Amino acid sequence: MVTSSTPPAQRTGLMLALLAFAQFIVAVDYNIVFVALPEIGSSLGFTTRSLQWVVSAYAVAFGGLLLFGGRMADRLGGRRMFILGLVIFGLSCLLGGFADSPGPLIAARAVQGFGAALLTPATLTLINTRFAEGPERNKALALWGACGSGGLAAGALLGGVLTQTWGWEWVLFVLVPPALLAAVVAPGTLAPDGRPAGGQGGFDARGAILATAGSSLLVLGLVSGPEAGWGSLRGVGSIVAGAVILAVFVLAENRTKSPLVPMRLFSNRSLVTAVLIILVFQSALGGSYYILTNYLQGVLSYDALEAGLAFVPLTVISMAASLKPAGALLGKWGPRATLFTGMFVNGVGMIMLALAMSADASFWALVPGLIIWGVGGGVTFPAMFVCAATGVAPQEAGIASALASASQQIGGAAGLALLVALAAAGLPGNPGATPAIADVADGLRTAMAVGGAASVVGGLLAFTLRKPRIAAAPTVTEASVATGNGTRGAARETDSRLPG
């Protein structure tokens, strides 16, 4: 225990604010680069095919190293990995902003992804181990989720403003001060890790290598498919190789005394359901932000600033929904109904937006869909991670968080690949041909509608969770025995916590 003159409630508030702030930084980075891509390409000499690696290098490193980062949080402590992740993330943003050619920028983005792979599971580990399961943790994850939901949309806004005002470099430079400041503040705000509970036994180096290689190849194949072709070595070849390596990883983990990913975690129904829902939700969400950005700039001819401003309704509504309705619904309905409702509303909003996406639509025609989409996404985001943390032992909180986050990254990569392919399906196959704006709008509208439908259908997965059980009223006999004997024969009560 750390001795401090700071009142516990105030210290808890500062700790939660720092963890939520770190999540906001990572979430902003997810989208901030998108609207700057055209200027990055022209300034640094990227080809049309190579430009996607500004996004993909980050995604491959982030998704591939999450399981490693999660286990390191368990082994070495959440606070240590939190600080290290922030430092790596901030310094790589600084180096990326100074890049003067494609190679250094892609390398910096990959290192940035490594920093995020350490930071994200460490953040969730600190929340899941330092806030008690139930209402206290639900409130913490609601604020964390609000910052995540808001950061995704705010990234597009900031990207537009900074690119239009100071140039593409500032979409990276802007993240340096907050990341390094958070790293400086962390030692005085977060209690020391102490002796990690999962520190017994050796580190599973073989598992770490297999998990990293398999996850990286899987994400590489998903993000490369639309650009390199699904029949290429980088496309389906990487996906197959990644799947095979991950299968070997599972077999190896079953025979390891101190595995990177304990297989018993997969007996936790709440965690497994959360991982599947996150996979579907992020598949719909990850590609849809990209689709909407391309629609605003490629069809409606918005500049970077205008495209960023168009995300404001989504930003505000997402944050508000995570802070208020998400926590209230989790407390009243439990995770089953909350997750289904959030996913359903999220999908309906996306479908409404798709129906409004014509070649000559006004911004106001898009607003209803953006609002409904924001409400659904804001409710769903924290609820998914509440489920992922339920019933997980403290010494395995890091790897459980990493499984959830890895599902998020793989889902985002898969969704982006699928929705981009759908959007381009009806366009001319000749690279030199210029497609009609109406055809581009039709393709983007179809992709957005498919993403919305996937969210609605994916919400049905929530019903695989156990129903929350309500405390049973004691019978007369039980109450009498309880009164006479104290603890012996006390009134029985079913577990009203979130199901594990």
Side-chain angles (χ1 to χ4, degrees):
M1 181 179 294
V2 177
T3 55
S4 172
S5 59
T6 307
Q10 183 179 351
R11 176 171 289 278
T12 300
L14 290 173
M15 176 174 65
L16 181 55
L18 177 62
L19 298 176
F21 181 63
Q23 169 63 9
F24 182 79
I25 294 171
V26 174
V28 165
D29 182 69
Y30 190 88
N31 270 353
I32 198 170
V33 172
F34 279 140
V35 294
L37 287 176
E39 185 174 327
I40 291 174
S42 60
S43 297
L44 299 187
F46 278 92
T47 64
T48 302
R49 288 181 175 270
S50 65
L51 183 59
Q52 69 137 357
W53 280 101
V54 176
V55 175
S56 298
Y58 177 85
V60 170
F62 191 3
L65 289 161
L66 270 166
L67 294 180
F68 172 79
R71 202 51 170 164
M72 292 302 289
D74 288 334
R75 292 289 180 177
L76 300 179
R79 188 178 82 153
R80 295 183 182 93
M81 290 301 102
F82 181 80
I83 295 171
L84 179 61
L86 283 168
V87 171
I88 293 173
F89 186 89
L91 293 180
S92 60
C93 287
L94 182 65
L95 293 175
F98 283 117
D100 57 2
S101 62
L105 178 58
I106 291 173
R109 289 285 289 167
V111 177
Q112 194 180 346
F114 172 53
L118 297 178
L119 175 60
T120 299
T123 302
L124 281 166
T125 297
L126 290 167
I127 290 176
N128 293 335
T129 57
R130 304 194 184 194
F131 293 88
E133 185 173 323
E136 183 181 350
R137 187 186 296 171
N138 291 355
K139 290 178 182 178
L141 284 169
L143 178 60
W144 176 86
C147 289
S149 299
L152 286 171
L157 173 60
L158 280 172
V161 172
L162 294 169
T163 302
Q164 192 83 358
T165 307
W166 292 315
W168 71 266
E169 299 91 343
W170 284 92
V171 303
L172 295 174
F173 285 152
V174 74
L175 296 172
V176 177
L180 297 183
L181 177 62
V184 170
V185 169
T189 305
L190 304 174
D193 291 313
R195 184 170 185 161
Q200 299 176 355
F203 182 74
D204 182 14
R206 179 180 63 180
I209 293 170
L210 289 172
T212 299
S215 301
S216 297
L217 284 169
L218 186 60
V219 177
L220 173 64
L222 289 169
V223 300
S224 298
E227 174 257 331
W230 291 108
S232 69
L233 186 61
R234 281 208 348 245
V236 71
S238 292
I239 293 174
V240 171
V244 169
I245 291 174
L246 288 176
V248 173
F249 165 72
V250 171
L251 292 175
E253 293 297 274
N254 279 317
R255 301 180 179 183
T256 302
K257 292 183 179 179
S258 182
L260 183 77
V261 180
M263 291 295 109
R264 62 178 170 273
L265 286 174
F266 295 100
S267 65
N268 181 335
R269 187 191 298 185
S270 185
L271 174 61
V272 172
T273 299
V275 165
L276 293 175
I277 289 178
I278 290 169
L279 186 72
V280 175
F281 176 77
Q282 198 64 33
S283 294
L285 185 69
S288 297
Y289 273 88
Y290 183 81
I291 293 298
L292 180 57
T293 300
N294 275 271
Y295 170 73
L296 294 171
Q297 293 185 280
V299 175
L300 300 186
S301 300
Y302 285 18
D303 60 29
L305 177 58
E306 290 170 333
L309 289 171
F311 277 84
V312 169
L314 192 58
T315 304
V316 174
I317 296 297
S318 293
M319 293 188 73
S322 288
L323 283 170
K324 292 295 181 182
L329 292 178
L330 279 168
K332 184 176 181 180
W333 292 352
R336 279 166 51 105
T338 301
L339 278 172
F340 173 74
T341 301
M343 291 281 282
F344 180 83
V345 173
N346 182 76
V348 168
M350 292 170 65
I351 293 170
M352 289 175 59
L353 183 61
L355 294 175
M357 288 169 59
S358 65
D360 56 355
S362 70
F363 170 72
W364 298 109
L366 307 177
V367 169
L370 288 172
I371 291 174
I372 301 301
W373 182 11
V375 170
V379 168
T380 302
F381 199 82
M384 295 186 305
F385 286 92
V386 166
C387 276
T390 299
V392 176
Q395 65 269 26
E396 293 171 347
I399 194 62
S401 300
L403 284 170
S405 298
S407 176
Q408 187 180 13
Q409 293 306 308
I410 291 171
L416 180 61
L418 175 61
L419 296 187
V420 167
L422 283 172
L427 302 181
N430 182 0
T434 302
I437 292 296
D439 292 337
V440 174
D442 287 343
L444 294 171
R445 180 168 57 245
T446 298
M448 181 67 75
V450 169
S455 181
V456 170
V457 174
L460 296 173
L461 288 167
F463 292 109
T464 63
L465 291 168
R466 295 187 182 95
K467 289 183 179 180
R469 290 171 293 174
I470 306 208
T475 63
V476 174
T477 302
E478 288 172 327
S480 300
V481 173
T483 303
N485 296 337
T487 57
R488 182 171 171 265
R492 291 176 300 172
E493 208 174 76
T494 56
D495 191 354
S496 61
R497 294 178 301 169
L498 295 180

